[in-house]
Each structure stands twice: as structure tokens, then as C-alpha cells.
Amino acid sequence: MARIIGGIGTTHVPSIGKAIAEGKQSDPYWSPFFRGFDEVHKWLASEKPDVAVVFYNDHGLNFFLDKLPTFAVGAANEYRNEDEGWGIPVSKSAAGDADLSWHLINQLVGDGFDITICQEMLVDHAVTIPMALMWPGEAAWPVKIVPISINTVQHPLPSLMRCLNLGRSVGRALDGYDKDLKVVVVGTGGLSHQLDGERAGFINKEFDLLCMDELARDPDALTRYSVPQFIERAGAQGIEFLNWMAMRGALTGTVREAHRNYHIPISNTAAATMVLENVPVAAKAHGCTSGEGESCCGSCVKSKIEASKKPEQIPA
Ligand SMILES: [Fe+2]
């Protein structure tokens, strides 16, 4: 059965791709940001996910203002990148898991999300840069992906509650998927930033940290903000946090913050990285009835630990 190992939140600023291409990870300007991924790499190397479900927003590569779905799900076996005009190299392609995509699509439509289904879909830097950050230097990325695009560009945008519930629908689908896969859920973008207008360069550290705190412990609390209220606090492009809300919604178990890094500024944005571990509430939720597989789920691991604490029986 599929198991959701956790979620990763990360910024996706195009200039990160340029820094990677130019090997600037250790430069004083970039180092505090890239060092924040050391713990992410350790966690991924330990957990070894098979699939990444990536919530992101397209910036005009696959969708443009003339046709911009609120939610779109990729259902392909390969996702290509193309020149986006940011001056960054065209990325290698990502392998897709079309079977899993269709499983998620069926759940989402059944739950009332009128998504756009994309059997061809270019993915932009909001997918490729997080992939390059999570798995740097790999000839081919070691996971297949299911990209899910959320409109954070053209108003009206979906609410924080709607995106949290979108993620919850995806999480339910993953819990019910009958293939033996480890799944990491990724939300990209943000945090606070504004690229244009009178508030260009706007960053709100206090609000960013509050969002990260509440995302981990009580994401429903963040739904008190309407989209305009959130933009007022996080900047026009800070609303990319909707992707983080969807990521968090897909974590159906007990969630623990395992890592965070927050650094300002990176190219006029607040750069944040976060790892949220997801421990399934019950082994049963993942179809495990034996309790024998120590990598099966958190409940099995916990029961094994408890069993090991029991005193040995002394023969009479
Ligand atoms: Fe963006």
C-alpha cells in the first residue's frame, strides 16, 4: 500500500536555478539557503520515496492568462521543461506516474474538485528547481512525479481552505492506493514576497514564521485569512503559500516538524524550507495487519519498540 512519508515545503525562485548552474551554492549570498537543504537530503536518503506529488503554480509556461485552470493535475509518464525566459538552463525531464495520477484524479473528481486533466503538461521552474534542490547532481531524478498546479496568478484564486481540502482529497487517495509506494508531498513557492507595484520587495518575516508554525501544528487556523487578507500580509506573490497548504492537507497522519530553514532575502523573496514527517495514525489505514514490516508504518514501528521494552519472561 502507498505510504505518505511526509511533506516538503520549499521556495522556487528562478535565480536558484541560475545559482545551481553557476555552482554558487557555497557563495556567502547563497550558502545560508543551500545549507538548509542538508537536512532535507539526509531525510530523503533515509526515507527513499518512490513518488513525489508536487503542488506548484505555473508561471506562464504551460498555462497563460487566456486559459488558466484553478486546479490542474498531470496524467503523463513524462514532464518536460522548456525555456521560460528567466535565463536559466532548460531542465531535464521528470518521469511521471500516470497510473497514480488517474487514481488521484478519480478521488479528486469524486470529492467535487472540477480539475483540469493534463495528459501533456510542461512543468516550469516551480517544479524543476525544487526537484534540483531535493536531489542535486543526479543524472535522473530518483522519483516519479505527479504535478498538481494551483492558480496563484489570476484572480479569483482558490481559498486557503479550498487548497487545504484539495490536499486532503489527495491524501485520502494516496492512503487508498494499492501499490507499494513511498510518497513525499511537496509544496513550492513563497514565502512572503511581492515582485511589482508600490510594495515591490515586501517581506514579512513575522508572518512567514507564524505561517510555518501553524502549518505544522494547526493548518486549519490559517484558513481564517481570506486571499486578500493573506496577500496584505505576505505580498502579492506570497500567496504561492496555497501550494504549501495543499501539501499539508495531504499529510493524513500525525505530523511532526522535522526541519526548517528560513533565510531572507533570496532575490527579494523570503526563502523557506520545511520538512514535515507524516506518521500514519493507524497501521490499518495503510492495509497493514501483520505489524511485521518495520518500514510499513509508524504504528508498526511503535508497537515493535513497545514490545521490545517488555521484560523478558523468566522460565519457572
Ligand atoms: Fe513563483
Side-chain angles (χ1 to χ4, degrees):
M1 302 296 285
R3 180 160 73 88
I4 305 164
I5 61 169
I8 294 176
T10 172
T11 185
H12 63 220
V13 189
S15 59
I16 297 168
K18 196 160 186 287
I20 292 172
E22 295 175 353
K24 291 185 173 175
Q25 292 91 331
S26 299
D27 283 11
Y29 179 85
W30 287 103
S31 175
F33 169 71
F34 280 100
R35 274 207 320 268
F37 273 82
D38 291 348
E39 289 301 316
V40 179
H41 299 155
K42 285 181 200 166
W43 185 73
L44 288 170
S46 147
E47 295 289 334
K48 295 183 175 57
D50 303 294
V51 177
V53 175
V54 185
F55 292 100
Y56 74 108
N57 57 290
D58 184 89
H59 300 71
L61 181 65
N62 194 73
F63 304 113
F64 200 63
L65 300 180
D66 59 336
K67 303 180 193 69
L68 190 44
T70 300
F71 303 121
V73 181
N77 281 315
E78 183 186 28
Y79 299 96
R80 289 187 304 104
N81 176 232
E82 285 184 356
D83 186 353
E84 301 174 54
W86 302 104
I88 56 177
V90 172
S91 168
K92 61 193 169 199
S93 298
D97 186 335
D99 288 344
L100 177 57
S101 289
W102 283 108
H103 177 76
L104 301 186
I105 287 164
N106 275 303
Q107 177 87 43
L108 284 163
V109 174
D111 285 346
F113 288 93
D114 300 323
I115 54 172
T116 297
I117 303 164
C118 301
Q119 297 191 66
E120 287 187 16
M121 192 179 194
L122 294 172
V123 291
D124 75 357
H125 66 275
V127 172
T128 60
I129 284 179
M131 294 292 284
L133 285 167
M134 291 184 288
W135 292 283
E138 308 236 8
W141 287 315
V143 294
K144 294 181 178 179
I145 70 167
V146 175
I148 302 180
S149 171
I150 297 176
N151 169 31
T152 70
V153 177
Q154 178 162 278
H155 293 259
L157 309 183
S159 68
L160 280 84
M161 186 77 244
R162 185 71 171 152
C163 293
L164 186 64
N165 284 336
L166 177 85
R168 285 175 170 152
S169 178
V170 167
R172 281 193 295 276
L174 291 170
D175 279 338
Y177 194 51
D178 62 2
K179 291 190 180 173
D180 186 19
L181 294 174
K182 286 183 175 181
V183 182
V184 63
V185 187
V186 183
T188 86
L191 289 184
S192 62
H193 65 295
Q194 178 151 336
L195 302 178
D196 49 10
E198 290 180 3
R199 295 204 306 165
F202 175 82
I203 284 176
N204 187 344
K205 179 178 179 179
E206 184 180 355
F207 186 64
D208 286 337
L209 297 180
L210 179 145
C211 286
M212 294 173 87
D213 289 344
E214 291 197 336
L215 193 77
R217 70 172 177 241
D218 183 14
D220 285 278
L222 288 166
T223 65
R224 67 184 178 274
Y225 299 109
S226 67
V227 166
Q229 287 169 339
F230 195 91
I231 286 174
E232 185 180 357
R233 289 160 178 78
Q237 283 74 40
I239 194 64
E240 290 179 340
F241 188 74
L242 292 176
N243 300 317
W244 290 52
M245 289 294 285
M247 172 272 284
R248 178 62 178 85
L251 307 182
T252 54
T254 302
V255 173
R256 182 185 79 87
E257 181 179 332
H259 170 66
R260 84 161 64 173
N261 184 51
Y262 183 85
H263 175 67
I264 51 177
I266 289 292
S267 189
N268 283 342
T269 73
T273 309
M274 199 171 191
V275 176
L276 298 173
E277 285 184 340
N278 180 66
V279 178
V281 172
K284 195 174 159 188
H286 300 273
C288 173
T289 54
S290 68
E292 290 177 359
E294 65 178 19
S295 64
C296 173
C297 68
S299 297
C300 290
V301 174
K302 190 177 172 193
S303 63
K304 283 190 133 195
I305 292 171
E306 292 303 318
S308 70
K309 289 179 182 171
K310 289 177 184 167
E312 288 184 23
Q313 294 292 316
I314 300 172

